[in-house]
Amino acid sequence: MSARRATVSMAAADTEMYRKEKSIQLKSSSSALYNNLSVLPLPDKQLAYFTAVHGTTVNMVSASGDGLSFSHRQLQVKEGGPAVSASIVTQAAWCVLPSRVLLVLTSQKGIQMYESDGSIMVYWHALDVMEHLPAQAVFARGIAAASGRFICVGTSSGLVLVFDIPPKGTNITVSEVLEEHHDAITDITAELGRAPDGAGDLVTADDSGTLCIWRSGEEFTLLNKIPAFGCTCSSVKLWNGVVAAGYGNGQIRLYEAATGVLRAEVNAHARWIYALDLAPLTGKLLSGAEDSFVHIWKLSKNLDTGDVEIEHCHSECVTDTQICGARFCDPEGNSFAVTGYDLGEIFRYSQV
């Protein structure tokens, strides 16, 4: 580890404690999809929105801060009116831009963008199925806002579509297509903290495990390409110039965004990691996997040595549950939520 200038601390006991809160019931259970939970905190309204995908349906729940009142909405991806069969949804995530918040849905048919409460669809982008071989699956997956005006969405062919989002209205356009990946995109993340000079502010990951680090803007520029090592990267986050990537072998790897250098690797889980999340104000990292465990870690940089440090802070076992979604519910990481395959509820935990 020292050769990679990394410090990994595994605490003998949890350094932070979380307690289980009242669960949020879903209209239907969660599918076994990567990153199958999105959370939009609305502190001004003392509300939080949650979404999880089940088959052709997106389950959306609005929950009050006290956890006593809930309202439900279900969305389906359909193109061409009610006669057309619904499409399998692959992901649902909120994209927070300075001027607006959009709920983005990806599916086998295309990409839909809604107003944040799911009430109005503002944009539909159909995937070109004809370009693919009949045996190839076609879908979109991987969603992130970038540079305050773009939303990036990945596809099964490895392309990343960059959408230019106006401050209001429906005049959304594809401004660029990024063509560095050769395998299906799994996840996309934008910088959650402050990017150091020379570091990228967007990371794209694919099924082979390849990571691409970009600088976003009027034209997106590829800065680094981190090669695959034989394992899918299912989830990725970027914080203060550190790339945190979760893999199918249960590892979390930390890379330096500016150079692509591996700084740390942790055997975090016994099985496939399905979700990572990062609390931007504290550097807490959340990981959830097939092994029923959720772990909370703390990332930091030693300003004197430049070392990347990762400390284990908390473990939570969700018994007999294949975890498929895990998200912090606030920017400090004081609370988090978890979904599991075939689980008809969202579990919530708050710091004691």
Side-chain angles (χ1 to χ4, degrees), residues 99-100 165-171:
S99 57
R100 66 197 300 189
I165 311 295
K168 59 183 179 179
T170 59
N171 189 27

Side-chain angles (χ1 to χ4, degrees), residues 257-294:
T259 61
V261 171
L262 177 62
R263 290 301 192 190
E265 52 188 337
V266 184
N267 294 320
H269 290 271
R271 296 185 69 183
W272 203 290
I273 292 175
Y274 262 62
L276 294 181
D277 197 22
L278 235 156
L281 297 186
T282 57
K284 289 181 186 177
L285 177 69
L286 183 66
S287 61
E290 282 185 333
D291 62 2
S292 301
F293 276 93
V294 178

Side-chain angles (χ1 to χ4, degrees), residues 102-159:
L102 294 178
L103 175 61
V104 181
L105 276 52
T106 57
S107 71
Q108 293 176 325
K109 290 185 177 174
I111 299 152
Q112 284 185 344
M113 299 186 189
Y114 286 82
E115 295 294 355
S116 61
D117 63 357
S119 59
I120 301 169
M121 186 174 73
V122 296
Y123 183 72
W124 162 262
H125 178 90
L127 292 176
D128 192 346
V129 179
M130 301 306 291
E131 287 185 2
H132 293 76
L133 297 172
Q136 285 184 319
V138 179
F139 56 87
R141 181 178 61 190
I143 303 164
S147 268
R149 57 174 275 204
F150 301 105
I151 289 178
C152 301
V153 180
T155 68
S156 51
S157 63
L159 299 178

Side-chain angles (χ1 to χ4, degrees), residues 120-347:
I120 301 169
M121 186 174 73
V122 296
Y123 183 72
W124 162 262
H125 178 90
L127 292 176
D128 192 346
V129 179
M130 301 306 291
E131 287 185 2
H132 293 76
L133 297 172
Q136 285 184 319
V138 179
F139 56 87
R141 181 178 61 190
I143 303 164
S147 268
R149 57 174 275 204
F150 301 105
I151 289 178
C152 301
V153 180
T155 68
S156 51
S157 63
L159 299 178
V160 176
L161 307 179
V162 180
F163 295 93
D164 194 341
I165 311 295
K168 59 183 179 179
T170 59
N171 189 27
I172 295 169
T173 57
V174 178
S175 61
E176 195 171 352
V177 179
L178 310 180
E179 301 184 357
E180 278 297 322
H181 290 276
H182 304 293
D183 295 273
I185 300 298
T186 48
D187 197 19
I188 303 176
T189 188
E191 173 64 70
L192 294 168
R194 181 172 294 177
D197 291 343
D201 60 358
L202 187 82
V203 183
T204 52
D206 70 26
D207 257 338
S208 75
T210 299
L211 303 177
C212 290
I213 301 170
W214 307 84
R215 182 187 297 117
S216 63
E218 289 293 336
E219 289 188 5
F220 282 58
T221 306
L222 180 70
L223 299 182
N224 284 297
K225 194 168 186 177
I226 298 169
F229 63 96
C231 204
T232 294
C233 176
S234 51
S235 193
V236 66
K237 287 288 174 276
L238 177 61
W239 180 75
N240 289 359
V242 176
V243 178
Y247 292 90
N249 63 358
Q251 275 193 345
I252 295 173
R253 291 185 162 208
L254 304 180
Y255 296 93
E256 198 171 88
T259 61
V261 171
L262 177 62
R263 290 301 192 190
E265 52 188 337
V266 184
N267 294 320
H269 290 271
R271 296 185 69 183
W272 203 290
I273 292 175
Y274 262 62
L276 294 181
D277 197 22
L278 235 156
L281 297 186
T282 57
K284 289 181 186 177
L285 177 69
L286 183 66
S287 61
E290 282 185 333
D291 62 2
S292 301
F293 276 93
V294 178
H295 293 302
I296 293 179
W297 316 80
K298 179 75 164 61
L299 303 186
S300 58
K301 264 189 169 181
N302 187 312
L303 297 177
D304 295 328
T305 63
D307 289 0
V308 175
E309 299 174 352
I310 177 169
E311 177 189 3
H312 184 259
C313 300
H314 180 74
S315 290
E316 197 73 49
C317 181
V318 187
T319 309
D320 297 329
T321 300
Q322 178 184 324
I323 290 163
C324 54
R327 285 284 181 269
F328 285 118
C329 301
D330 59 89
E332 296 82 18
N334 293 329
S335 56
F336 65 91
V338 175
T339 54
Y341 171 56
D342 223 18
L343 197 66
E345 55 191 324
I346 298 173
F347 291 140

